[in-house]
Amino acid sequence: MSEELKSCPFCDRPSARIIEGPAYDFVQCFVCGAKGPIRYRKEHAITAWNTRAGEKA
């Protein structure tokens, strides 16, 4: 599983980081503040962030 994050789908900057919480994880862009969906595993949060509209996960 690759942990490489795609650029933000909103501002197109490569500034996204994985936010790991005690019960869930998500990816957030630190330029525009966009957040990916909350997932219960880091790998799933990365997949959700890297999947774009029209693509299958």
Side-chain angles (χ1 to χ4, degrees):
M1 167 82 211
S2 172
E3 290 193 21
E4 186 174 331
L5 296 170
K6 289 185 178 180
S7 296
C8 177
F10 298 98
C11 71
D12 201 35
R13 303 253 176 113
S15 57
R17 301 287 183 263
I18 302 164
I19 308 298
E20 296 182 72
Y24 56 83
D25 306 312
F26 63 93
V27 177
Q28 180 174 11
C29 174
F30 282 94
V31 172
C32 72
K35 293 180 183 177
I38 292 173
R39 297 292 188 252
Y40 295 103
R41 295 189 57 142
K42 180 172 77 170
E43 298 83 12
H44 297 164
I46 293 168
T47 299
W49 177 264
N50 286 340
T51 302
R52 301 297 189 239
E55 291 182 356
K56 292 185 179 184

